[in-house]
Amino acid sequence: MDNSTKQYDAVIVGGGWAGSALAYRLASANKKVLVLEAGIAIDGLVTNPDENQLVTGNRAEFMNDFFMAMAKTPESPYVQNYNAPRPAVLDIQPIPPFTLNNPAQLPAGAPPPATIDCADPKTSIDKGYFIQRGPVPFGSTYERRGGGTSWHWLGTSLRMLPNDFKLKTVYNQAVDWPIGYEDLSDYYDQAEFEIGVSADVDEQQIHGITFSEGYVYPMAKIPATILDNTMDAGLADQTFDGSSLKVTGTPAGRNGVPNQMKNGEFYDNGRRQCQGNTNCTPICPIQAKYDATVTMAKALMTGNVDIIYQAVATNITLDMTTMEVTGVEYKTYETTGGPCTGTFTATGTKYIVAAHAIEAAKLLLMSNTQIPAGVANYSGQVGKNLMDHPMYLGWGLMPKPVYPFRGPLSTSGIEGTRDGAFRSERASFRIEIGNEGWNWPGGAPYNQVIDMVSPMPPDQSGAPTVGIFGTALRQSIQSNFTRQFRIGFLIEQLPDADNCYIVPSKTCFDNLGVPRPEIYYDFDVYTMEGFKAAAAATDFIFNTLGVENNTGVPVGNGGVFEYEGVKYYAQGAGHVMGTHRMGTTRDDSVTDANMKSWDHDNLYIVGCGSMPTTATSNPTLTMTALAFKAADAIIQSFA
Amino acid sequence: MTLDEFVSLSAALTGYPAATLKPQNDPQQISETLFAELSLASNNIPAAQLDELTQVWNSISATPPPSLPAAVQVKIIENLAITRLAQNIIYLWFFGTWYDLAKNPNSFTSPNIDHVVSPLAYTNGLVWGEMGAHPMGYSVGEYGYWANIPTLPQIN
Ligand SMILES: Cc1cc2nc3c(=O)[nH]c(=O)nc-3n(C[C@H](O)[C@H](O)[C@H](O)COP(=O)(O)OP(=O)(O)OC[C@H]3O[C@@H](n4cnc5c(N)ncnc54)[C@H](O)[C@@H]3O)c2cc1C
Ligand code: SF4
């Protein structure tokens, strides 16, 4: 479809989470919107249903690919697209030297570092899309297709804490946000409605979080698992480093039992109730869990939205007199491995980049034909301050069965550890309780059953060994797997412009010839102290509960680093933040609090990249609230 | 090996009754699907190994049930010439997965020919029910079932 001649009120780059939320909001206010989406379409989510979309995907196909995948990673349901590639967790490998304070030495068994050969984009991308410069590899991934990374989110939808917005003021760390909790409170209500969050207001009033008068979440809290209750029974009265270890239900963007809302109506989003498939990441088979295609479908229903898939934005053009954006150039392709089929320009009155933290920064920095530093980059902060919630995993066997592998992947967590005086010294964290046994750290159930049936010979060779079978095997499975559990610490990271950033590669390109993200990443002492505290908290919790501690080297051990002589294995959380942060001045931030570029009056940049600091809450509920805030500002700017 | 031999051997290796593995009426044809892996050329099963496993099984399959596990232990599991293939039969049933015979299944050396047999083979994997759960990504439970203690299958 060639929409290059049509004039729109707004052009949105990215048909993922933030892009769908913005498109829906603007279209509902009667604005004409064009969405450029780099990846392939989802069946039915097209401007004109009769139109023959070049390539599409759908949930049933994704499920089939997931069932057939040997490694059931977050990416396993979704095939790679060489014209809009995305990173994959299996590609995360240590980069020597793997820490700043460690000599050039690879952990035992790690493959030698491959020099990145990108002569052939496809074979090179198969070895990993990111150009990882380290010293620590960036561990998080995302998805580039209609719906974006919402295809593999877990569903956790916690609000940020009031103190999270004021890290500088309260703890003299990093920067404050240009807004406070009270500025987002109403937008949180709206975001929770759009996503469809199940939670209990009383339980969520922690660390100063308040709710508007009479507020109820759209749906009642998701029932706790046997594991959650076991942990709460043992930990409710315990503290670690002054923080309560009480276990509370986690607000989740998955369907539970509808509540009667403030307006008297029962919430109903038309989707099914969670069946406990224990598969929220990488894919919910029945769409009980929210994803952005829900919102994009509503946006398209307004009739005010056109969407072009297989349209990779590559350049934002400027009027050098007014400094306003004049258009977005994009490249098209017919198949996911085929050649570029053309370059077009989309034009509108307002422009919104909602292409995910890393791709958004890359696009702004690539659009540098007129200004060498790139678009929206007077501050020099575009692409800088790359952050995640690096995760520490602890795992073990409970003394009694807790029956994991049942219910949503996570239903509860420990939130008491998210704020406290310690934040002036070390990172805070929240503790997620996993209902999927050792699936994440230990490749369960596969790896442990194989250890029972075909133990690895001491020389690690392929020689046959003698294991157990029959009744003994069945008994072992029952006794081991019913007691497996893991906890995961989402650890705070501070913005670090000098050591954590992304730039478009000058030497490595994807199949369309678009630069790949080159990533520099590290952990500072604040975060590493957070890891140290997480390990200590794991020991404390496991001792208190009488758990057999099996924490060791996780299967995904690429994020290894060493601190004070101890090795830690960081996992990515998928929470990519900071790369186009908002702030109060043009000198040290990319946008204002409405996510409008300081430099270009008609350009907005929206996503988790807008967040100046990470807090410890999974970021996307807050990002959705921010997207609605930006949408209001954009709508008002037309008036 | 015949399908019947495969099913009776599978029962001895998995600890599940043959009638559970191959029910009278199985519209999903799971035992047939798994059995087909043994004749899949790309699985590179040495013919001598498959023959020996078949012969050994036929020589002990009539052993009275109480002494059968001991016979399987000595003649199959401890026989390094055929134990790896027998282990793969266990994996077919518990995971729906075939592992490259030339390496330890927990080794990820590549290239290898590890593969999931089919979506149905995955969703019928026995490991999930054994622990009172369901295959990840395939649940027929009701909302909230996870708050209740499951019944584990009886082991005889
Ligand atoms: C495994 C995993 C689990 C997660 N779990 C949670 C959770 O429980 N809770 C939580 O809060 N968050 C979670 N997240 C994070 C959440 O998924 C992201 O924060 C969210 O999807 C980001 O939204 P976005 O719109 O910025 O980016 P996306 O959703 O990725 O959308 C960006 C879109 O832009 C498109 N695009 C990219 N480049 C271009 C271009 N050049 N031109 C045109 N289009 C382009 C992409 O194809 C994509 O569709 C998780 C993430 C992962 C990976
Ligand atoms: S537990 Fe299952 S049904 Fe519920 S949200 Fe997760 S994947 Fe969907």
Side-chain angles (χ1 to χ4, degrees):
Chain A
M1 179 174 61
D2 177 12
N3 288 52
S4 42
T5 49
K6 217 164 145 180
Q7 178 70 21
Y8 291 92
D9 293 319
V11 174
I12 301 178
V13 179
W17 194 308
S20 301
L22 280 150
Y24 178 46
R25 271 304 165 94
L26 297 181
S28 303
N30 241 334
K31 302 296 167 219
K32 302 286 176 210
V33 178
L34 174 66
V35 178
L36 299 175
E37 167 51 50
I40 64 165
I42 301 304
D43 276 356
L45 274 192
V46 294
T47 305
N48 174 357
D50 299 330
E51 185 183 310
N52 243 343
Q53 186 64 42
L54 292 171
V55 190
T56 62
N58 61 56
R59 198 172 298 267
E61 279 168 28
F62 300 153
M63 281 310 296
N64 194 73
D65 287 351
F66 166 76
F67 286 147
M68 292 302 285
M70 282 300 293
K72 302 206 183 302
T73 61
E75 294 79 33
S76 58
Y78 316 104
V79 290
Q80 182 64 288
N81 174 348
Y82 297 103
N83 288 322
R86 48 97 172 113
V89 291
L90 290 179
D91 303 325
I92 293 155
Q93 297 291 340
I95 309 163
F98 67 88
T99 67
L100 280 181
N101 40 24
N102 196 70
Q105 167 215 351
L106 278 173
T115 42
I116 298 163
D117 171 7
C118 17
D120 174 33
K122 286 180 204 159
T123 47
S124 178
I125 287 167
D126 282 340
K127 295 186 188 127
Y129 170 53
F130 287 155
I131 313 300
Q132 299 263 18
R133 295 295 186 213
V136 180
F138 189 69
S140 277
T141 63
Y142 48 90
E143 195 58 44
R144 289 172 85 194
R145 65 180 62 241
T149 315
S150 72
W151 279 101
H152 33 137
W153 83 307
L154 164 62
T156 300
S157 301
L158 290 151
R159 294 185 178 202
M160 278 173 55
L161 313 174
N163 276 350
D164 290 337
F165 295 87
K166 303 183 284 199
L167 215 54
K168 182 76 185 169
T169 305
V170 183
Y171 300 113
N172 198 27
Q173 292 291 345
V175 289
D176 285 350
W177 285 43
I179 49 174
Y181 179 84
E182 52 299 341
D183 298 308
L184 273 194
S185 181
D186 278 352
Y187 289 113
Y188 272 133
D189 293 7
Q190 295 169 30
E192 282 157 358
F193 185 83
E194 182 58 32
I195 292 169
V197 178
S198 300
D200 175 17
V201 161
D202 288 340
E203 205 179 27
Q204 300 307 322
Q205 283 168 332
I206 50 161
H207 298 299
I209 288 183
T210 52
F211 291 86
S212 55
E213 183 69 28
Y215 182 73
V216 286
Y217 278 94
M219 290 165 287
K221 87 177 242 195
I222 307 272
T225 58
I226 297 160
L227 170 63
D228 298 334
N229 292 331
T230 306
M231 294 206 45
D232 189 48
L235 295 174
D237 302 328
Q238 301 289 333
T239 58
F240 173 79
D241 207 358
S243 305
S244 161
L245 293 179
K246 187 173 169 33
V247 171
T248 49
T250 307
R254 64 174 63 83
N255 277 0
V257 178
N259 273 336
Q260 191 169 14
M261 308 289 297
K262 239 163 144 173
N263 64 8
E265 282 172 22
F266 280 90
Y267 177 81
D268 179 12
N269 60 20
R271 287 180 287 117
R272 290 172 64 181
Q273 243 178 4
C274 169
Q275 276 191 321
N277 280 288
T278 329
N279 213 54
C280 326
T281 300
I283 180 166
C284 176
I286 60 170
Q287 208 181 25
K289 183 193 67 178
Y290 171 84
D291 59 66
T293 64
V294 168
T295 303
M296 183 55 84
K298 292 194 291 188
L300 290 168
M301 292 255 283
T302 62
N304 289 330
V305 177
D306 289 337
I307 181 164
I308 312 179
Y309 293 94
Q310 299 173 220
V312 182
T314 53
N315 191 22
I316 297 171
T317 57
L318 301 175
D319 176 326
M320 293 306 286
T321 320
T322 63
M323 290 310 277
E324 294 224 331
V325 174
T326 52
V328 178
E329 282 175 18
Y330 61 96
K331 288 185 192 297
T332 59
Y333 55 92
E334 272 182 18
T335 60
T336 53
C340 177
T341 50
T343 304
F344 304 89
T345 304
T347 53
T349 310
K350 309 281 172 182
Y351 294 86
I352 304 160
V353 176
H356 185 275
I358 287 177
E359 296 296 331
K362 195 185 89 181
L363 172 63
L364 295 168
L365 294 170
M366 273 162 57
S367 303
N368 61 2
T369 42
Q370 294 127 311
I371 337 172
V375 167
N377 200 20
Y378 173 83
S379 64
Q381 296 297 313
V382 173
K384 297 285 173 69
N385 310 306
L386 174 67
M387 297 175 286
D388 191 2
H389 290 131
M391 288 188 73
Y392 174 85
L393 301 180
W395 62 100
L397 294 177
M398 280 282 181
K400 293 217 178 78
V402 287
Y403 305 103
F405 298 93
R406 301 163 79 245
L409 283 182
S410 179
T411 32
S412 297
I414 294 171
E415 316 295 337
T417 54
R418 284 166 65 190
D419 195 31
F422 56 81
R423 276 178 111 179
S424 46
E425 310 286 331
R426 67 148 170 97
S428 61
F429 45 70
R430 68 172 290 260
I431 310 174
E432 173 189 275
I433 300 172
N435 290 323
E436 82 301 22
W438 299 353
N439 183 265
W440 186 355
Y446 305 95
N447 296 25
Q448 293 81 40
V449 171
I450 291 171
D451 283 340
M452 296 169 190
V453 175
S454 322
M456 182 71 84
D459 65 355
Q460 308 268 313
S461 71
T465 51
V466 176
I468 58 172
F469 72 101
T471 307
L473 172 62
R474 292 188 56 188
Q475 280 159 348
S476 284
I477 291 176
Q478 291 196 357
S479 117
N480 178 289
F481 287 97
T482 55
R483 294 185 298 129
Q484 285 192 358
F485 82 108
R486 66 95 183 156
I487 50 179
F489 295 72
L490 287 82
I491 300 174
E492 190 180 19
Q493 216 181 344
L494 299 178
D496 179 350
D498 295 333
N499 295 303
C500 301
Y501 58 95
I502 165 262
V503 289
S505 169
K506 292 199 166 64
T507 48
C508 292
F509 304 90
D510 68 19
N511 195 54
L512 283 184
V514 176
R516 285 158 57 185
E518 184 170 312
I519 299 187
Y520 296 76
Y521 191 60
D522 200 7
F523 300 130
D524 63 7
V525 168
Y526 189 79
T527 293
M528 292 195 284
E529 282 288 327
F531 270 88
K532 192 169 120 187
T538 302
D539 285 345
F540 178 77
I541 291 171
F542 285 13
N543 284 336
T544 308
L545 298 173
V547 166
E548 177 187 324
N549 193 344
N550 295 84
T551 307
V553 181
V555 286
N557 52 20
V560 60
F561 69 92
E562 203 169 299
Y563 180 59
E564 294 182 345
V566 179
K567 271 185 190 155
Y568 296 92
Y569 298 90
Q571 310 287 318
H575 304 167
V576 191
M577 294 168 274
T579 52
H580 46 83
R581 68 177 183 185
M582 53 186 194
T584 41
T585 75
R586 188 183 176 204
D587 294 324
D588 65 359
S589 61
V590 180
T591 72
D592 66 13
N594 287 327
M595 285 141 281
K596 187 171 92 169
S597 157
W598 292 111
D599 308 348
H600 314 287
D601 240 4
N602 62 344
L603 176 65
Y604 293 76
I605 308 153
V606 184
C608 294
S610 305
M611 302 184 180
T613 55
T614 66
T616 49
S617 40
N618 310 45
T620 317
L621 174 75
T622 301
M623 183 199 78
T624 310
L626 291 175
F628 288 162
K629 184 174 193 313
D632 275 357
I634 295 167
I635 292 164
Q636 276 158 24
S637 74
F638 281 103
Chain B
M1 192 179 287
T2 65
L3 177 61
D4 283 346
E5 289 165 342
F6 173 73
V7 171
S8 59
L9 170 60
S10 295
L13 290 172
T14 60
Y16 276 86
T20 307
L21 302 182
K22 188 177 188 327
Q24 283 275 319
N25 178 10
D26 176 13
Q28 302 194 328
Q29 303 265 302
I30 296 301
S31 53
E32 287 83 351
T33 308
L34 300 181
F35 177 57
E37 286 290 311
L38 295 185
S39 40
L40 202 65
S42 56
N43 282 346
N44 294 330
I45 307 171
Q49 206 177 126
L50 184 55
D51 283 350
E52 187 178 344
L53 180 61
T54 313
Q55 274 166 26
V56 170
W57 173 242
N58 284 327
S59 74
I60 60 172
S61 60
T63 313
S67 354
L68 186 59
V72 173
Q73 173 77 28
V74 174
K75 301 280 184 183
I76 298 178
I77 301 297
E78 290 174 12
N79 178 349
L80 294 183
I82 55 175
T83 194
R84 213 19 222 98
L85 182 55
Q87 290 166 355
N88 256 23
I89 295 177
I90 296 178
Y91 298 134
L92 283 174
W93 286 102
F94 276 93
F95 300 151
T97 297
W98 181 266
Y99 290 100
D100 197 329
L101 287 174
K103 64 171 189 61
N104 184 283
N106 257 344
S107 145
F108 303 103
T109 48
S110 62
N112 65 54
I113 51 167
D114 293 353
H115 62 271
V116 177
V117 173
S118 72
L120 280 178
Y122 169 80
T123 51
N124 281 280
L126 295 172
V127 68
W128 309 103
E130 192 68 69
M131 55 171 116
H134 54 81
M136 291 177 86
Y138 186 80
S139 152
V140 288
E142 295 280 308
Y143 178 71
Y145 76 82
W146 51 87
N148 308 317
I149 293 178
T151 330
L152 300 185
Q154 197 74 34
I155 302 175
N156 295 312

